[in-house]
Amino acid sequence: MIKVDLHLHSPTSKKIGDAIGWISLATTINKIRNQDIQLISFTDHDHFSAKFYQELTEQLIGTNIRAFPGCELTIARKTRGTGHILFIFDNKYTPQELKQLERIINEIRLHSSTGGAKIAKVIAKLRDYDFMICPHVDKVDAVTWADVAEVKDYIFNVECSRKSVKYAKFLREANGTNINPVKFSDCHLWNDDKFKWTGCYLQEYHQFADIKNKLKMMEG
C-alpha cells in the first residue's frame, strides 16, 4: 500500500494571507516521512512556486517520497460565489516547463480577481499539461456538478466523504458517473504534531494515470 496526500500547503500560501505554521522544509519532510506517505502535492492557494517545488524535489532525493506539482485554484461558481478545486499535475516536466506553469497560474489569479476564475478558461490555458482536477464537494468552499460539468473529462476524484449528502447529490447530477471520493489532510500547520495521513492510498504506483484512476480510501 502506498499512502497519498495531495493537499498540503507551504509558505507560498501566505501570499493570500493564509496562516501557515512552518519551521523548515526539512522538518516538514520529516513529518511526511514519519507518516510513511510516499506521494504528495503542495497545492497552495492560487499560486504555484516553481522554486519551492524544485527545492522540495531536491530534498526528497534519497527518500521514497515523490512530489507532484499542484495548486488550489479559486473558481467562479455558476450561481454565485466561489469554490476551490485542486489541480494536480504529472511530475515529468522540466524546470522551464514548471516556470511556464507558474506564469500561467499567476496570470489566472490576476485576471480572476476576487470573483474566481472561469473553469473552462483555466483548463484551456493548461491544455499543454497532463493533470487532473479534484473539486471540493463537502467543504465550505465546495462546488457543485453544475459548476464543473463542462470540464468533466478532467475529474476522476472529488475531495469529500463517501457518506456526504453533497457527494450523493454530486453523483446524481453527474448521471451516475463513477467519481471517487478522497480525503486529504489540507495541512497548513507544520509546527505542531497534528499532521497525519487521512487514509488515501494506492495499491501500487507506476504512472500518473494511477493517481487519476486508482486512488482509494481506507474504510471507516
Side-chain angles (χ1 to χ4, degrees):
M1 180 178 68
I2 299 171
K3 295 181 179 180
V4 181
D5 195 333
L6 302 178
H7 191 172
L8 307 173
H9 289 274
S10 82
T12 301
S13 283
K14 289 182 178 180
K15 292 182 178 181
I16 68 154
D18 267 16
I20 303 293
W22 191 265
I23 298 173
S24 69
L25 180 54
T27 301
T28 293
I29 291 172
N30 282 336
K31 289 179 181 289
I32 294 168
R33 292 182 71 180
N34 289 340
Q35 292 289 319
D36 297 319
I37 299 169
Q38 296 181 41
L39 301 181
I40 64 171
S41 182
F42 280 86
T43 51
D44 289 303
H45 286 295
D46 297 309
H47 287 80
F48 170 71
S49 169
K51 179 181 179 182
F52 174 83
Y53 181 76
Q54 181 179 349
E55 292 173 353
L56 172 65
T57 54
E58 288 174 353
Q59 291 203 34
L60 291 179
I61 294 172
T63 74
N64 64 352
I65 303 171
R66 300 188 191 193
F68 296 84
C71 63
E72 182 176 2
L73 286 178
T74 303
I75 300 297
R77 298 188 57 178
K78 293 295 184 182
T79 51
R80 63 178 181 176
T82 60
H84 287 174
I85 296 179
L86 302 182
F87 281 69
I88 310 297
F89 299 84
D90 198 345
N91 61 359
K92 66 183 179 180
Y93 296 107
T94 66
Q96 292 74 21
E97 289 168 324
L98 292 172
K99 285 296 293 182
Q100 176 62 15
L101 178 61
E102 180 179 308
R103 286 191 288 270
I104 292 170
I105 292 172
N106 283 341
E107 181 180 295
I108 290 169
R109 182 185 74 256
L110 293 172
H111 286 179
S112 64
S113 187
T114 58
K118 305 293 185 183
I119 185 64
K121 290 184 178 180
V122 173
I123 296 295
K125 288 179 181 294
L126 296 169
R127 61 184 178 274
D128 292 333
Y129 292 87
D130 185 7
F131 64 94
M132 73 170 190
I133 63 175
C134 186
H136 291 187
V137 168
D138 63 359
K139 295 186 174 184
V140 294
D141 50 12
V143 299
T144 66
W145 174 251
D147 298 324
V148 295
E150 62 189 318
V151 295
K152 61 184 179 180
D153 291 344
Y154 294 88
I155 305 173
F156 302 85
N157 307 279
V158 291
E159 195 167 9
C160 66
S161 166
R162 184 178 294 279
K163 299 177 182 178
S164 166
V165 171
K166 289 185 177 180
Y167 173 59
K169 181 181 180 182
F170 191 92
L171 281 189
R172 286 197 305 271
E173 294 176 349
N175 295 318
T177 303
N178 186 24
I179 300 173
N180 189 44
V182 294
K183 278 286 190 180
F184 304 124
S185 68
D186 192 9
C187 186
H188 289 65
L189 303 177
W190 298 95
N191 56 348
D192 59 28
D193 296 322
K194 295 181 181 179
F195 172 69
K196 64 178 182 178
W197 175 61
T198 51
C200 186
Y201 72 98
L202 287 171
Q203 291 286 8
E204 55 185 7
Y205 173 78
H206 300 288
Q207 57 187 345
F208 187 62
D210 294 333
I211 290 179
K212 293 179 179 178
N213 299 302
K214 299 179 181 180
L215 286 179
K216 298 182 178 181
M217 289 297 297
M218 297 291 289
E219 297 295 332

